[in-house]
């Protein structure tokens, strides 16, 4: 499994570097044509998109992920995929029709401004097409087709970028340009994804398969709502308590923090399908632990880098209006990691105990809501980062403990905790000593980053692999 994981994750990582890299390069353009308040509007629609995409399709794509690899033949696989896709297509079409018919009152309800009716309709189209694209893209992942998934992802971001730049810079449109670009990109890339996986699609709807998948996925609807609350309540609370300008600044910080996804996506995209395929094999728990150790090395390296160089990134890529977001990036990088590390505790999914998933995410959502509305009035926008990080860590720990009961993983717990504490304490210590942006500061922080990366690698990599590395090094010299 490890060999397949390395090959697949490398492909996903390259694709993610390209797509996220393009997205980051767009930030200087966006911040020069869109104000912080307008960025706040985009982020607010992202909140709406998250809750809609997590709920209205009843998380049926997650059921496809679980049952696809257990299907005995191509016909049975096609029946799962086709049934779920037809259901997804219908519910998103209904969503858009309702949004179109009631655009004015809905715009007034969600945006407090009925004059934004046209923008609301366009954004609803982007949300609907994104939901369909999410399904067909995931189907390529479930079929363990990393190259096809990478191609579709790159096409999506390239089309989006080209259209958005044209509408912003040439045509002179504002916020609506981003959503129009998303609609076009989602449609083009969805058609390509369906073509690449065409043997899994047919014009059929099997009620028996639908019932089976829904029985697995319906608890995930409640979990989806809770995930939305846990991951988005920070932005909702900022809007309510501080306003759209602060939300825009927080949103920029989150966009830079999403660079952490360069580490996460490669692991997440390749690991889950492989675990469902190989979980019955005796070596799989040990393989998962080894993969988790490698992930933590990369993750802690990124965390240390975000602590040390957030200020430089913000100054380089944005304008002065967004400089205050630099203090938030490292905390939000940790949030991104802890919110997604549940993939290394697959016991609940393997055992099909999706009600436990719902319980964990609901608990996390309640905790995050309480903490955000408590800490933001005290610490301002930083309070949202503290609150979200605490709830993300709590959810990950709860998920790991409960999953261990159904599928034990031999984690190197002591070494992992020691590495985490060491990186945080040392990195913030170096930052306090070299906080100014100058050549000496950059050199010192870069040397430290390399050293801490080497140290945690020796701490977490298995001894047998270290011996192999030493042996190869001696032979080379």
């Amino acid at each position: 499994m490890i060999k397949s994981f390395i090959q697949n994750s490398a492909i996903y990582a390259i694709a993610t570097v390209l797509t996220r890299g393009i997205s980051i390069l767009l930030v200087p353009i966006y911040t020069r044509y869109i104000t912080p308040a307008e960025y706040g509007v985009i982020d607010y629609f992202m909140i709406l998109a998250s809750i809609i995409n997590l709920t209205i399709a009843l998380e049926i794509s997650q059921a496809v992920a679980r049952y696809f690899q257990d299907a005995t033949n191509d016909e049975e696989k096609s029946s799962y995929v086709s049934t779920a896709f037809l259901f997804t297509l219908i519910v998103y079409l209904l969503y858009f029709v309702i949004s179109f018919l009631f655009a004015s009152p809905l715009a007034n309800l969600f945006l407090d401004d009925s004059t934004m009716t046209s923008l609301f309709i366009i954004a609803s189209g982007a949300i609907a097409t994104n939901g369909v694209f999410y399904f067909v893209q995931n189907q390529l992942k479930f079929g363990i087709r990393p190259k096809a998934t990478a191609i579709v992802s790159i096409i999506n971001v390239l089309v989006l970028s080209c259209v958005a730049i044209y509408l912003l810079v040439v045509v002179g449109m504002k916020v609506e340009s981003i959503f129009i670009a998303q609609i076009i990109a989602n449609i083009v890339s969805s058609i390509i994804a369906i073509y690449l996986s065409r043997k899994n699609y047919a014009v059929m709807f099997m009620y028996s398969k639908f019932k089976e998948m829904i029985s697995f996925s319906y608890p995930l609807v409640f979990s989806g709502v809770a995930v939305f609350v846990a991951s988005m309540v920070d932005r909702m609370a900022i809007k309510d308590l501080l306003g759209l300008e602060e939300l825009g600044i927080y949103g920029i910080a989150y966009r830079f923090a999403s660079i952490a996804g360069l580490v996460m996506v490669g692991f997440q995209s390749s690991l889950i399908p492989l675990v469902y395929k190989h979980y019955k094999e005796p070596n799989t728990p040990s393989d998962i632990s080894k993969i988790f150790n490698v992930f933590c090395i990369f993750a802690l390296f990124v965390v240390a880098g975000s602590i040390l160089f957030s200020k430089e990134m913000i100054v380089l890529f944005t304008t002065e209006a967004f400089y205050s977001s630099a203090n938030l990036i490292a905390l939000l990088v940790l949030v991104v990691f802890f919110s997604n590390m549940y993939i290394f505790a697959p016991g609940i999914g393997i055992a099909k105990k999706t009600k436990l998933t719902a319980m964990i995410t609901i608990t996390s959502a309640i905790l995050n809501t309480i903490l955000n509305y408590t800490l933001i009035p005290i610490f301002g926008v930083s309070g949202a980062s503290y609150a979200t990080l605490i709830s993300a860590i709590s959810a990950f720990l709860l998920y790991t403990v409960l999953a261990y009961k159904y599928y034990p993983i031999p984690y190197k717990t002591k070494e992992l905790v020691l590495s985490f504490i060491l990186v945080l304490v040392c990195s913030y210590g170096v930052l306090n000593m070299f906080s100014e942006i100058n050549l000496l500061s950059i050199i010192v922080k870069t040397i430290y980053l390399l050293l801490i990366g080497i140290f945690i690698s020796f701490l977490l990599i298995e001894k047998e692999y270290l011996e192999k590395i030493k042996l190869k090094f001696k032979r080379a010299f």
Side-chain angles (χ1 to χ4, degrees):
M1 189 185 85
I2 290 181
K3 183 178 179 180
S4 297
F5 168 79
I6 293 172
Q7 292 173 343
N8 295 351
S9 61
I11 295 171
Y12 286 123
I14 292 170
T16 305
V17 167
L18 290 173
T19 55
R20 295 291 175 88
I22 293 170
S23 298
I24 291 297
L25 290 175
L26 288 175
V27 171
I29 298 175
Y30 288 171
T31 54
R32 280 161 176 77
Y33 287 89
I34 297 175
T35 66
E38 289 171 332
Y39 240 117
V41 173
I42 294 173
D43 261 30
Y44 191 59
F45 273 115
M46 288 178 63
I47 295 173
L48 296 178
S50 296
I51 186 65
I52 290 164
N53 291 337
L54 285 168
T55 55
I56 68 170
L58 302 181
E59 288 284 66
I60 199 168
S61 65
Q62 300 302 317
V64 177
R66 182 62 185 88
Y67 289 106
F68 185 81
Q69 291 297 337
D70 285 345
T72 56
N73 53 59
D74 290 341
E75 184 178 352
E76 187 177 10
K77 289 181 179 181
S78 179
S79 66
Y80 280 118
V81 176
S82 301
T83 299
F85 177 68
L86 184 59
F87 172 74
T88 301
L89 199 61
I90 290 172
V91 295
Y92 277 109
L93 181 60
L94 288 174
Y95 158 75
F96 180 72
V97 170
I98 293 172
S99 297
F100 180 81
L101 294 176
F102 300 96
S104 182
L106 289 173
N108 191 53
L109 174 65
F110 290 108
L111 301 173
D112 299 322
D113 190 350
S114 59
T115 63
M116 289 190 175
T117 299
S118 297
L119 180 61
F120 184 85
I121 293 172
I122 295 170
S124 297
I127 292 169
T129 55
N130 186 69
V132 175
F133 173 63
Y134 173 79
F135 180 93
V136 297
Q137 182 188 42
N138 275 348
Q139 183 49 42
L140 291 172
K141 294 179 185 177
F142 304 153
I144 311 181
R145 299 185 61 190
K147 291 182 181 179
T149 307
I151 290 170
V152 169
S153 299
I154 293 170
I155 290 173
N156 181 269
V157 75
L158 285 175
V159 174
L160 191 154
S161 302
C162 292
V163 175
I165 291 173
Y166 175 77
L167 295 178
L168 272 173
V169 178
V170 179
V171 179
M173 299 174 69
K174 287 290 186 179
V175 178
E176 62 271 18
S177 62
I178 308 300
F179 298 117
I180 293 173
Q182 287 178 357
I183 292 171
I184 296 173
N186 290 335
I187 292 173
V188 171
S189 49
S190 293
I191 292 171
I192 295 172
I194 292 170
Y195 175 78
L196 292 175
S197 189
R198 57 192 178 278
K199 72 175 184 178
N200 291 325
Y201 292 92
V203 183
M204 72 166 72
F205 184 89
M206 295 185 64
Y207 180 74
S208 60
K209 300 297 184 186
F210 175 74
K211 185 178 179 180
E212 183 181 12
M213 288 188 286
I214 291 299
S215 67
F216 174 89
S217 69
Y218 87 85
L220 298 178
V221 176
F222 303 102
S223 177
V225 174
V227 166
F228 159 75
V229 173
S231 62
M232 293 294 181
V233 72
D234 49 355
R235 279 168 261 194
M236 295 177 67
I238 291 171
K239 177 182 178 293
D240 291 342
L241 300 174
L242 302 177
L244 285 174
E245 184 168 346
E246 292 295 324
L247 178 58
I249 290 171
Y250 189 82
I252 282 292
Y254 229 124
R255 278 168 174 75
F256 278 97
S258 69
I259 296 174
L262 297 177
V263 176
M264 195 73 243
V265 172
F267 285 85
Q268 191 172 33
S269 299
S270 57
L271 183 62
I272 294 175
L274 289 171
V275 167
Y276 284 148
K277 184 177 182 179
H278 298 284
Y279 70 91
K280 295 179 182 179
E281 298 174 8
N283 291 332
T284 299
S286 176
D287 288 344
I288 293 172
S289 177
K290 292 174 183 177
I291 292 170
F292 183 49
N293 291 338
V294 174
F295 163 79
C296 286
I297 292 170
F298 285 106
L300 290 172
F301 184 83
V302 172
V303 169
S306 66
I307 292 171
L308 297 172
F309 294 106
S310 291
K311 186 175 180 181
E312 286 85 347
M313 285 192 298
I314 289 296
V315 170
L316 180 63
F317 286 103
T318 70
T319 60
E320 189 173 352
F322 294 93
Y323 284 179
S324 60
S325 63
N327 298 325
L328 308 174
I329 292 177
L331 294 172
L332 295 177
V333 166
L334 286 168
V335 169
V336 170
F337 283 135
F338 277 106
S339 297
N340 292 280
M341 289 196 315
Y342 65 88
I343 64 171
F344 298 103
I348 293 175
I350 289 172
K352 302 177 183 177
K353 302 292 184 179
T354 50
K355 292 180 181 178
L356 284 178
T357 302
M359 182 200 74
I360 294 169
T361 53
I362 290 171
T363 301
S364 175
I366 294 172
L367 176 62
N368 202 18
T369 302
I370 294 172
L371 288 175
N372 265 280
Y373 280 92
T374 300
L375 297 181
I376 288 176
I378 299 172
F379 299 104
V381 71
S382 296
S385 301
Y386 303 145
T388 306
L389 179 58
I390 292 170
S391 62
I393 293 174
S394 301
F396 169 69
L397 293 176
L398 187 57
Y399 206 106
T400 303
V401 170
L402 293 176
Y404 190 87
K405 175 183 176 181
Y406 300 100
Y407 198 76
I409 305 293
Y411 302 110
K412 296 180 70 174
T413 306
K414 292 181 181 179
E415 291 86 349
L416 290 168
V417 172
L418 176 61
S419 298
F420 178 73
I421 294 173
L422 184 68
V423 166
L424 290 184
V425 172
C426 293
S427 298
Y428 276 111
V430 171
L431 179 64
N432 286 333
M433 291 186 289
F434 299 93
S435 59
E436 298 298 322
I437 300 178
N438 53 55
L439 182 60
L440 175 63
S441 175
I442 293 173
I443 292 173
V444 171
K445 289 190 289 187
T446 301
I447 292 173
Y448 160 78
L449 188 60
L450 293 174
L451 291 176
I452 197 69
I454 293 171
F455 182 82
I456 60 176
S457 296
F458 277 96
L459 193 61
L460 295 179
I461 293 177
E462 299 287 338
K463 291 183 179 180
E464 58 183 280
Y465 291 105
L466 286 176
E467 292 299 326
K468 290 180 181 180
I469 293 171
K470 289 179 183 179
L471 182 62
K472 288 182 179 180
F473 185 80
K474 287 179 181 180
R475 289 177 179 175
F477 296 94

